[in-house]
Structures are given as C-alpha cells and as structure tokens.
Amino acid sequence: MPRAKARIRILSLFTLLFCSETALGELGINFPTPAAPVAQEIYDVHMLTMRITTVLLIIVFSFILYSIFFHRKSRGYQADQHFHETWFGNWSWIFVPAMVLAVDLTIANSAQKTLEKIWVVPKDEKLMDLKVIGHQWWWEFEYLDHDIKVESRYTPEEKAGDLYLREVDKRLVLPTNTRIRFLHTSADVLHAFWVPELGFKKDAIPGYVTETWAEITREGVFRGQCAELCGTWHSRMPLVVEAVSQEQFNSWVEEQKTLKVAALAEASADKVWSKEDLFEKGKGLYNSKCSACHQITGLGLPPAFPALKGSPIATGSISEHLKIVLNGKEGTAMQPWNSLNYLEIASIITYERNAWGNDTGDVVQPADVNAAR
Amino acid sequence: MSTATLAPANDHEHHGPPRGMRRWLMSTNHKDIGTMYLIFALVMLFLGGASAMLIRAELFMPGLQLLEPDLYNNLVTNHALIMIFGAVMPAAAGLANWMIPLMIGAPDMALPRMNNLSFWILPAAATMLMLSFVVPFFPGGGSQINTGWTLYPPLSLQVGMSMDFLIFAIHLLGISSVLASINIIVTIFNMRAPGMNLMQMPIFVWTWLVTAFLLILVVPVLAGGVTMLLFDRHFGTSFFNAAGGGDPVLFQHLFWFFGHPEVYVLILPSFGVLASIIPTFARKPLFGYKSLVGSMIAIMFIGMVVWAHHQYTIGMSLAAVSYFMIGTIIISIPVGLMVFNYIATMWRGSMTFETPMLFAVAILLMFSFGGLTGIMLAVVPADMQYHDSMFVVAHFHYVLLPGAVFGLFAGVFYWLPKWTGNMYDERLAKIFFWINVIGFNLTFFPQHFLGLAGMPRRIIDYNIMFTEFNMVSSVGAMIFGLSHLLLLYIIIKTIRGGKPASARVWEGANGLEWELPSPPPFHSWTTAPQIK
Ligand code: HEM
Ligand SMILES: [Cu+2]
Ligand SMILES: [Cu+2]
C-alpha cells in the first residue's frame, strides 16, 4: 500500500464529517461507495446518526472541558455547595431525559423509515433468486432461476498478490438493474454474507433461510468477506461480487450451462478411467476442496483435522473411506460431500489412497461410488 | 438514636487476624477477602492482557506471523472470558467486600463463610479456564476453542473436550458470582448502621445492590444455556442442532439475555466509584442522587429486555428488530442521565486533579464516546454494516475499558491509602494515567475506521488495505499493555510503605469509610456509627 495514501488517510480522519464522503470511502475510513439503493439508504442513516452523535459528543466534551478548565481550585474557584439544590438541581432529571428522548426519537424515526424501506423483500416485481450457502470455508451460490451453481474459494497468496483475502477463484457474477433476492443458509456452522457495497450483512444459519435483497445499480467488482466466526479459516472466506450488464450476465449463464453439461457427460457412472487420470483429477479437486482442513501435504492440522497420510481410513477399507466422504461425520467439521458427482468422488478417493506415500494402489471408479451411494 | 444501646458486645475486639495461611484460606474477614479478590483480579488482568498483546502482535502485519488460526481464536476466547469473569467482576467484588461494610457502618459482611466460599471458588474456576486453554496441547486433548466468548453453536459443538472444561468453568464462575451477590444483598438490607435508610446509602452501595440483583437474574440463564450445550455435546439432545430439529439461534438468545445485562454488571460498580470520587475532588455534594438511583434501576429493567440488539443479522421480523432498536436507543436516557449528573457534580466545583480524578474525567469523556457509538450500533439498518466488524470491537472497548476497568483503577487509587495506610506515589500514578490513556486511545480509536472500511472482527489475517490502522493499533496495544507493569509497581510500592495517610486521606472526602483510621481496624465498625 503506497505510503502517501496512508498519510492522507490519517490526516483526513478529523475531517471525516465534512469532506466529500465518497473520497473518504476510497481512503478506507468510511463505508465504500454504495452500489445499490439499499446500501445508499443505509449509508444515509449511518451518516445522519454519526453527525447527530458527533454534535452530542461535542456538547458533552465542551461542558466537561469548560468545567475542568475554569472550575478548579488552582484558579481559586469556590465550590458552589448548593448547586444541586437550585431549580436546575431539582428539575434536571426531567428535562435532561426529555432532551435525550428528543434526540433518540429523531434517530429512531429516521432509522425506522429506512428499515421499512429495506427490511422486507419487495414482492411487487419479479426477483431473481440466489441461494447463498456458507460452508467451512467456501461459499456456494445457487442461481435458482438459471439452474446453475458456483463454488467460490479464496485465492492463495501467490496468485492473488495484493488482493490476497479479497479475491476468489470463481466470483459471484450478478446482473445490474435486477432485483435480486438473496436466500442465506449454511451447511455447517454460522457464517455471514457481507459485501459492504451492497449494504447489508446477513447470517447464514443451518436450518434457517434468511432473506435480503439488493438491486445493483452500477457495474464493478465489490469485495467483502464472511463476517461471522466460523472456525479455523474464517479469515479465508472472501466474497467477490462481479456486477455486469444483463447481456453479459446472460452470456455468462450460457457458458456455465455448457460447462455443466460437459461435466455431467464426463461424469457418467459407466465410464472406466485410468488410474493416472483419476489421480490427476483427484489432486486438483482435493487441493481445492479438501486441503483447507486436511492440508495439501495430507498431514491435516491435528487434533482438529486428522491427517489422511497414513490414516487408517484412507489406507484401510475402501467402503469405509467412501462412507465418510459421502456421509461426513456428525458433530465434526467433516461434512457430507454428496454434492460432488461420481467422477469427482472417485478421483478424490483414488488420489487420497495413492498420494503422500499412501501407496495402496487402489483405483476407485465412478461405478463403485454409484454402487456405494 | 443512641448508639450505646445498639452497639454489639465487642469482647473479641482484641483478637487480630490468624497467622499464616489460615488467615487467607479460612478467612471470613471482609477486608482480607476483598484483598484476595483484588489480587486475584490483578493476576487475571495480566493473563488477559498478555493474551491481548499476543493477539495484537499477530495483527500488527498481514499474514500469519506468530500464531495458528485456532490458537488465535482460542486466545480471543480466553482473553474475553478472563477479562470479564476473571478481572473485572472479581475486582468489582473486591471493592464491594472492602467498601460496603465500611460505607454502611457494618462490622463485616452478613454471611462471612459464604463470602469465603464465593472467593475460593474463583481460583478453581480459573484453573478450569486455563485447562480449557491448554488441554488441546496434550495428546488426545481434542481441538481448541475457536468460537469466541459467545460460544455460538454449531461451532461450539465441533470443539474438543476443552469446551467441556470451559462449560464447567462458567458454571463455577456463575456460582461464585451468585453467592457473592446474595451476600451483598443480605448485607445491604440488614447491616446498615442504625438510622441509615436506603436513600442515604452511598451510590457505590446502590450500584452494587442493583448489580447483585441483575446477576442473580441473568447468570442462571447463561448457566442453563451452556448446560444445554453440554447436553447437545454428550447426551444426544439437539437443543441447538438444526439437523436434530433444534435451533442454533436459541442459544444466541439465551447467551445475550445474560450478555447484555452483563455489560451493566461490568460498568455499574465502576460508575458507583465515580460517584464517590467526583464529589471528593470537586469539593461539593453529589448532584442528582435520586436520579442516579432511578437511572440505575431503569437500566436494570430496560437492560434486560433489549438483548437481541446483538443479533440484528439473524433475520428477525421487522416488528422484532424495530422493538429491539427502540428499546436499545431508549437506554441512552438513563445512561445519559448518569453521565449528566457526574458532569453537573464537577460543574462549579473547586476541582483538583489527583490520579483518581484524572481517571474520572477521562472516563466521562471516553465513555460518552463509546456510548454514542453504541447508539449508532443500535440503529438496525446501519448495524447491518457495523455488526461483527472491528467497529463493534472499538465500541465495546470504549465502553468497557473506561466504563469498567478505568473505574476500578480510579477506585484503587482512591482507596489504596485507606486500605494500606500509605499514600501512593502521585507522580508515578500520573505518569501511569497518561501512558495508559494515550495507549488505550491509540489502540482502539483506529479500529473504528477498520470496521467501517470492511474489516470483520475475529480474523487472524487480513488484506493489506487494512495494514496502517492495524499497525497503529498494535503499537498502541503494546504501550497500553506494558503500562500496567507501572501500575503493579505503584501498588507494590504503596503496600510496602510511603507517606502515612490520614484517616480522611483526601481533603474533600465525605462518608463513613473516612471516619475510620487508615488502615481500618481488623473488624470494621464494632460499634455502629450514628447517622445524622
Ligand atoms: C448507550 C449505551 C449502549 C448502547 C446503545 C449499546 C449498543 C450496542 C449494540 C447495538 C451492540 C451490538 C453491535 C453488534 O454486534 O452489531 C453492542 C455491542 C457490545 N456492547 Fe454496547 N451499547 C451500549 C453500552 C455498552 C456498555 C456500557 C457496555 C459495557 C460496559 C457495552 C458492551 C458491549 C459489548 C461487550 C459488545 C459486543 C459483544 C460481542 O459481540 O462480543 N455496551 N452495543
Ligand atoms: Cu466466517
Ligand atoms: Cu448489548
């Protein structure tokens, strides 16, 4: 990060209230510029309450500072022993709360109005439904209207460079000027979807589906991350929204659909694969999907995440191995991986049984997975 | 009213404290128990502080430098629990033990044996807490507690056996504070000097009365919540497990039904300390006694019905969030009134600024700031952005450190001459004050900006865009953390000697505790004082 920028950032702290607001967002001391009306509404209440509270703060500070400066013994000031018995002393307990109440109501009133505008998903227009599923430690986006799914994982530092922890392998591509309803849920523990430009944050809770909505009004890339502690790699769950025009979005959807069809055809349960092909495929899949816990080296992070290198399951019976991958293990971070297709599971298992010196020589074919499922 | 008829037969006045370990292990004396509470709290303050400094050292730069992610989260969890249950609550209980009998003219606490028990549960609980931290480092110890102090399931259901240690530690801590609360309530209701009615008690005593009731009301809810967690973990229930028909959010409600009132448990006693300090150094009577009492009772009741402002993002209905928002904002009325009364006490006073008063002024300034960011957080739409970001971390440290911890420091400096009979070193204490307060602001002020710019809390690693403010914050944290060594030195130095303190100690001091010599006799008021 350039030094100069840092300096400007620190200098402009105190002008926060008075300068151009967007510039402050760019400098990283206020919310980034909103990209949706919902976010704009939120931004406006935020600035309003911040201004009101700042005025209150200045009032409180002035009284305290005035008092400690003038009402001090060293200046020969004589204490007013009867101050608490004056009319002020007798009635301030009424009018101070009344004044605070007035301020409170001003804030609550504008907050309530905003809330009514943004809280409930509007039902008057057709919405595009997007299901957001939090996983330990990746995001899954289901485009319910388009029947496609995207898995999004953080990009490692070597590739992401300065965007490390703000960049993902597959972005959440969304169309602009379309009302989108986000349906949040989780496959394991709590997570929270937070992209500041879209304005809201919402928890992903297993067993719940929570709703939010946004209509993105400008194209661009908006970055956020998971905001609810979800375990070891909570810091590695960036969210990257790529807002594109409707046309671009449509062609992106077509592309995804073609990819999906190709993957399905390839994964047919009947096809028999060579060990090398499975191993190579499995390596890629393992490194992206399993290595957060079990590590690229297969050594895991015991005691939380067991090593697969030399593990009794990964070197023992194939059916046990299949079982734990397909069904996961209740009460642990090991989730059921039954959303993977036969080919994917077969290749991951083949990889695990032959990598890192687990030289079992076993080859698991998609058909075996089909039989086990 | 004549004191002679009411004075107890004080034939055992001649006996002093028992010698050696028995004096402490079997103590039933409010001062000795108070001292033990305070020493315990100081030890915990250093443990909690060390973990905080490790956390900030890790966050100094992007990347993983010192810690593993699970160890980081384990430290975050432990830091919070140690500070809240190990440092602030016991320190406040220590002040209560020492000062309540002195202030209400009682010879001791009403239930001295229970007093002993409620203290001695604490070291056991602290041991459990430490075990929950270290057990994962032993073979077969399971995974670390990576949930934060909120212990939200399902994550807390994934953790290894150290979570069970933690649950039992929480049970013990809860029992200890409920016992202490019962003792305080009984003492205040039954042991006041003849002629002292409730509305003549010092505000510090009032704050503890309210705090004690609050604790008895909410601690059992936390105990219930963590017990259900324990059952989910080991006995096949699914209170919080969605797959078994349970509800993960239920735990959050139980936790915050305890958790929000808990923040008042933490600040009220310190606010009580301010009510003693400010009139002393302003040399004029406390302003608004009745409205202070009214405010804290209002805080107690309203504070118990606004808990879900910590859960705005769980997807509540519009009606529910509106209610919790308005309730929360309304709390600013009694809180604001308390702050107002303190400022009005300073107003037209004849002030001097010894260390306790310096802290008092700093508290008023910084707590007001923290309270105002609290109002911002209460605004639901805006909290959609602030929630679970560094902004929240900044907010609660601005209320908790000034509101609770600095109040306790102020109280310690204020009463240390009374307790030990020696004056502390004013020059060193002032140096401590300045380093402490500057370090504090350097640490937490920049975190507001980090939060607004999009940095979540409880992350071990961050993008380089957040670097500068994190560096400032970490440097501040080192200054802030290390400054407490000076505090330790000042306290030890005062205990070992110093200019002898008079009974009144401070020129403007008023109240029964100043009628006794410094240090006070082993049994405080063997003859009940007369209240005019
Ligand atoms: C005017 C008074 C206050 C208001 C309106 C207020 C409001 C809030 C709100 C709305 C939150 C939730 C923010 C979020 O997580 O999104 C919060 C968090 C918090 N507040 Fe306050 N607050 C006030 C005073 C206090 C005081 C006096 C304390 C303690 C002494 C305190 C301690 C905390 C703590 C510890 C948290 C964070 C808890 C956690 O998530 O771990 N607050 N406050
Ligand atoms: Cu997370
Ligand atoms: Cu709260």
Side-chain angles (χ1 to χ4, degrees), chain B residues 149 256 263 267 309-310 328 367 371 374-375 377-378 383 387-388 392 395-396 399-400 457:
Chain B
W149 81 295
W256 287 113
V263 305
I267 56 159
H309 62 219
H310 296 271
T328 306
F367 180 84
I375 294 186
L377 289 165
D383 190 60
H387 177 66
D388 256 324
V392 174
H395 154 72
F396 67 74
V399 276
L400 279 175
R457 63 193 281 212

Side-chain angles (χ1 to χ4, degrees), chain B residues 199-468:
Chain B
M199 292 307 277
Q200 284 169 322
M201 298 192 310
I203 288 289
F204 176 74
V205 181
W206 258 112
T207 53
W208 250 110
L209 185 61
V210 172
T211 303
F213 272 108
L214 211 47
L215 275 169
I216 292 180
L217 286 168
V218 301
V219 163
V221 177
L222 175 69
V226 295
T227 307
M228 288 155 84
L229 209 54
L230 189 74
F231 272 60
D232 271 11
R233 289 168 52 80
H234 295 293
F235 306 119
T237 55
S238 334
F239 294 112
F240 308 131
N241 179 357
D247 179 355
V249 174
L250 174 62
F251 181 83
Q252 303 185 8
H253 286 294
L254 295 173
F255 183 87
W256 287 113
F257 186 85
F258 152 83
H260 185 72
E262 173 69 13
V263 305
Y264 299 110
V265 167
L266 300 172
I267 56 159
L268 281 176
S270 296
F271 264 52
V273 173
L274 290 190
S276 292
I277 291 178
I278 299 177
T280 297
F281 296 97
R283 294 173 180 72
K284 80 193 246 296
L286 183 67
F287 187 94
Y289 179 96
K290 284 186 196 151
S291 76
L292 281 170
V293 173
S295 301
M296 63 182 103
I297 293 176
I299 288 177
M300 166 172 151
F301 284 110
I302 310 174
M304 291 209 356
V305 293
V306 297
W307 71 91
H309 62 219
H310 296 271
Q311 303 157 258
Y312 285 149
T313 55
I314 61 172
M316 283 181 282
S317 70
L318 179 61
V321 285
S322 308
Y323 160 74
F324 283 110
M325 170 171 79
I326 291 167
T328 306
I329 297 181
I330 292 294
I331 291 210
S332 62
I333 294 177
V335 174
L337 191 54
M338 289 187 89
V339 172
F340 163 79
N341 281 322
Y342 292 147
I343 299 176
T345 306
M346 290 164 54
W347 197 255
R348 299 217 208 146
S350 175
M351 282 188 275
T352 51
F353 297 92
E354 288 83 351
T355 311
M357 186 62 172
L358 283 179
F359 270 109
V361 174
I363 290 166
L364 291 180
L365 293 169
M366 297 184 308
F367 180 84
S368 305
F369 181 72
L372 290 168
T373 55
I375 294 186
M376 294 173 68
L377 289 165
V379 171
V380 183
D383 190 60
M384 293 293 102
Q385 294 274 24
Y386 311 136
H387 177 66
D388 256 324
S389 75
M390 291 301 279
F391 190 88
V392 174
V393 177
H395 154 72
F396 67 74
H397 284 94
Y398 263 91
V399 276
L400 279 175
L401 278 148
V405 180
F406 291 177
L408 297 166
F409 289 169
V412 167
F413 284 115
Y414 185 57
W415 285 311
L416 202 54
K418 169 59 59 186
W419 299 336
T420 60
N422 304 322
M423 281 309 285
Y424 60 84
D425 184 330
E426 190 66 59
R427 198 179 58 92
L428 278 186
K430 281 189 175 153
I431 296 176
F432 166 67
F433 166 83
W434 285 109
I435 304 181
N436 197 251
V437 167
I438 292 171
F440 165 77
N441 283 289
L442 217 51
T443 312
F444 294 106
F445 196 69
Q447 295 183 0
H448 292 101
F449 302 111
L450 288 173
L452 295 182
M455 179 171 164
R457 63 193 281 212
R458 295 169 168 170
I459 53 174
I460 183 175
D461 196 2
Y462 52 84
N463 178 265
I464 51 166
M465 72 180 276
F466 303 120
T467 311
E468 297 89 6

Side-chain angles (χ1 to χ4, degrees), chain A residues 1 9 46 67 71 73 77 80-81 104 112 119 136 162 164 166 194 196 201 203 208 227-228 232 303, chain B residues 69-70 142 158 247 283 285 313 316 322 329 332 347-351 384-388 463 468 507:
Chain A
M1 174 83 26
R9 197 185 274 181
H46 155 70
S67 180
H71 303 152
K73 195 179 173 196
Y77 196 91
D80 175 355
Q81 297 298 340
D104 284 359
Q112 184 67 23
W119 196 255
Q136 277 176 317
D162 279 2
Y164 178 54
R166 306 272 286 169
W194 183 28
K201 173 182 292 122
D203 290 359
Y208 276 66
E228 177 66 59
T232 313
Chain B
D70 277 344
Q158 287 181 356
D247 179 355
R283 294 173 180 72
T313 55
M316 283 181 282
S322 308
I329 297 181
S332 62
W347 197 255
R348 299 217 208 146
S350 175
M351 282 188 275
M384 293 293 102
Q385 294 274 24
Y386 311 136
H387 177 66
D388 256 324
N463 178 265
E468 297 89 6
E507 186 189 50

Side-chain angles (χ1 to χ4, degrees), chain A residues 18-32:
Chain A
F18 311 105
C19 304
S20 141
E21 288 153 15
T22 43
L24 294 169
E26 306 283 285
L27 288 170
I29 60 175
N30 198 0
F31 293 159

Side-chain angles (χ1 to χ4, degrees), chain A residues 244-259:
Chain A
V244 296
S245 70
Q246 188 66 50
E247 299 75 61
Q248 278 169 299
F249 179 72
N250 290 342
S251 58
W252 178 82
V253 167
E254 285 317 310
E255 199 181 307
Q256 298 303 308
K257 284 193 171 156
T258 338
L259 286 174

